[in-house]
Amino acid sequence: MRRSTVFAVAAAAVSLVGLVGCNDDAAPAASAPSSASSSASVTGAPEAAPTATPTPTAVETPTSTPTVTTTPTVTATTVGGAIDPEKALALAEKTPYAATQDFTTEGGPLSAVTKGRVNLNGPVRSGRLSESMSAGGGGDVVGATDSGPTTVVTDDGTTYIKSGSSWRKSPLGDRIADYHGYAKALLDLGRSARQGMEDCEGTPCFHLAGTVDLERMKAVEPESYKILKGKGVTSFHLDQWIDAQGRTVRFDRKTELKGVPMRIHGTFREFGPVERITAPA
């Protein structure tokens, strides 16, 4: 096997460890108008004809149309401008978006820098990512001479890796984590995870942090879960910063693989609407 292919497969495995309503408020029914009977007086007639009692006319009671109101928009901030993380995440849960990802993986046999555009919070996460790698735990990935594979995750969750000039399907599955799910796992830890408001390079963010049981990773990043579970990892430490719309702005996850610290950290920026991702031919 050629060195570039071996390197690409190993890199894929290692980087995967860290890569990443109706309100029916009807008005009261209007009462039916009374049928008023009046006796007509006929002047000049020798004998007044008997007055016939008019037959009441049935009047249809108007039916009021129910007033339909839309569900109010979730407010993501409380009084004073502090972000309420639960409301922010509830808002983000309904809004898929695209973002530029810039992540670094350190520790283990390879280090990597992963950059690109990803679609998050949708039914299926997708994106186009470029990785550059270097050998050795915590090495200088920026100066790596091997640019590494380019990965495309299509809308059906399939991952493609480019090695040299050819593409192949990756056996590693989905390479993009559910960062929204990670933030919810932190909130479930209780008040201790709420670190408060911080500035993220000009963006007001709410900092969440804590030690999370590895089983919470199974639903949000299944491939990384399998790898870490197989290596005996039982928990990981996570720091995550979200903005007023519940979008992840910064992410920092630390684990230990058989005594070797491993960390994946980075940022999301340039948020926008979901983008079309085209699979390689």
Side-chain angles (χ1 to χ4, degrees), residues 147-233:
S147 61
T150 297
T151 303
V152 175
V153 183
T154 63
D155 287 338
D156 63 1
T158 302
T159 299
Y160 299 87
I161 295 179
K162 185 177 184 180
S163 298
S165 60
S166 62
W167 289 90
R168 64 179 178 82
K169 282 187 179 182
S170 169
L172 299 176
D174 199 339
R175 296 282 296 277
I176 300 175
D178 176 10
Y179 297 98
H180 183 78
Y182 272 127
K184 290 177 71 174
L186 284 172
L187 274 183
D188 287 347
L189 295 177
R191 295 181 61 87
S192 63
R194 300 171 181 243
Q195 305 300 302
M197 296 293 294
E198 294 182 15
D199 178 80
C200 295
E201 298 184 356
T203 299
C205 292
F206 195 93
H207 183 191
L208 297 166
T211 299
V212 182
D213 188 277
L214 183 69
E215 293 305 313
R216 292 302 300 264
M217 186 186 284
K218 186 175 185 179
V220 299
E221 202 170 1
E223 295 302 329
S224 291
Y225 166 79
K226 291 177 187 177
I227 294 172
L228 295 176
K229 180 82 171 179
K231 294 183 178 297
V233 176

Side-chain angles (χ1 to χ4, degrees), residues 3 7 10-11 17 26 52 68 77 96 126 157 175 181 188 207 234 236 258 281:
R3 175 185 176 275
F7 195 68
V17 176
V68 179
T77 59
S126 60
R175 296 282 296 277
D188 287 347
H207 183 191
T234 58
F236 55 92
K258 296 182 178 180

Side-chain angles (χ1 to χ4, degrees), residues 94-113:
K94 304 172 184 178
T95 314
Y97 62 90
T100 296
Q101 174 182 326
D102 191 348
F103 272 29
T104 299
T105 302
E106 301 170 330
L110 289 174
S111 292
V113 166

Side-chain angles (χ1 to χ4, degrees), residues 77-131:
T77 59
T78 59
V79 177
I83 295 171
D84 182 324
E86 289 181 341
K87 290 182 179 180
L89 288 176
L91 182 63
E93 197 161 9
K94 304 172 184 178
T95 314
Y97 62 90
T100 296
Q101 174 182 326
D102 191 348
F103 272 29
T104 299
T105 302
E106 301 170 330
L110 289 174
S111 292
V113 166
T114 307
K115 299 182 179 183
R117 292 290 287 177
V118 291
N119 293 321
L120 302 172
N121 283 18
V124 178
R125 299 176 297 278
S126 60
R128 186 180 184 92
L129 299 168
S130 177
E131 298 174 344

Side-chain angles (χ1 to χ4, degrees), residues 230-252:
K231 294 183 178 297
V233 176
T234 58
S235 63
F236 55 92
H237 185 82
L238 180 61
D239 287 86
Q240 192 166 352
W241 293 257
I242 61 174
D243 65 10
Q245 284 72 50
R247 303 171 302 199
T248 299
V249 178
R250 287 176 58 192
F251 184 86
D252 192 339

